[in-house]
Amino acid sequence: MIEGLPRADGGPGDEDDRDEHPLLMGFSYALAPVRAVEEDLLVLPKAFREVGYRTGIVTSHPWFDENAAVLDYFDSRAVVKPRKGRPYASFEALSPHVFEFLGERAADGQPFFLYVHSMDTHFPFIPHKGFSRFKH
């Protein structure tokens, strides 16, 4: 979810309903990495952790670097760096971390919240073998 901070246009994230729009990455940070999180925001991993969930994030998004404040709310973090010459790590590079987290949760039986952010669906599109016909 990419909401949580007030918006001037009265849309989701407006001051009156800010608790209804949980934060993973704040609206005002749309052009820069998340470095700070306001105390009164509803932050999904924080809210889940407070009621006994194990929380995890697996991402290759460049906004989630080691200094991203929102990472502090996750019990488990995998920020996967791209291979040399690539703009982002593929989903295939993320999947071992996803399966590791899911395996641990299956073993301990705890409820969980796992945020997986794959960049494969974002620009620049890098078609996988067999899908080059979809390239523009």
Side-chain angles (χ1 to χ4, degrees):
M1 186 117 199
I2 305 178
E3 285 294 345
L5 297 176
R7 286 180 29 184
D9 65 4
D14 187 39
E15 190 70 36
D16 293 335
D17 66 353
R18 63 193 292 154
D19 287 341
E20 296 177 23
H21 301 282
L23 171 79
L24 266 178
M25 190 166 54
F27 182 81
S28 70
Y29 299 106
L31 300 176
V34 177
R35 295 284 180 242
V37 177
E38 293 179 26
E39 295 262 338
D40 64 338
L41 289 177
L42 174 58
V43 181
L44 283 175
K46 178 182 176 189
F48 279 114
R49 192 191 305 180
E50 288 173 353
V51 294
Y53 281 64
R54 297 287 296 171
T55 59
I57 182 171
V58 177
T59 183
S60 62
H61 197 293
W63 289 346
F64 291 107
D65 66 15
E66 294 76 22
N67 298 312
V70 74
L71 291 179
D72 293 340
Y73 297 104
F74 290 96
D75 299 310
S76 171
R77 304 164 203 71
V79 179
V80 182
K81 301 295 181 197
R83 291 184 322 203
K84 187 174 180 168
R86 301 294 247 176
Y88 54 82
S90 68
F91 181 76
E92 288 82 2
L94 302 180
S95 61
H97 302 282
V98 171
F99 291 122
E100 178 182 0
F101 181 88
L102 294 175
E104 291 169 356
R105 298 300 66 80
D108 67 24
Q110 275 191 283
F112 65 87
F113 168 74
L114 176 61
Y115 177 67
V116 179
H117 192 154
S118 174
M119 295 298 293
D120 289 51
T121 60
H122 297 280
F123 181 81
F125 300 108
I126 302 171
H128 293 251
K129 281 187 174 184
F131 292 92
S132 59
R133 68 176 186 223
F134 298 107
K135 189 175 181 178
H136 294 132

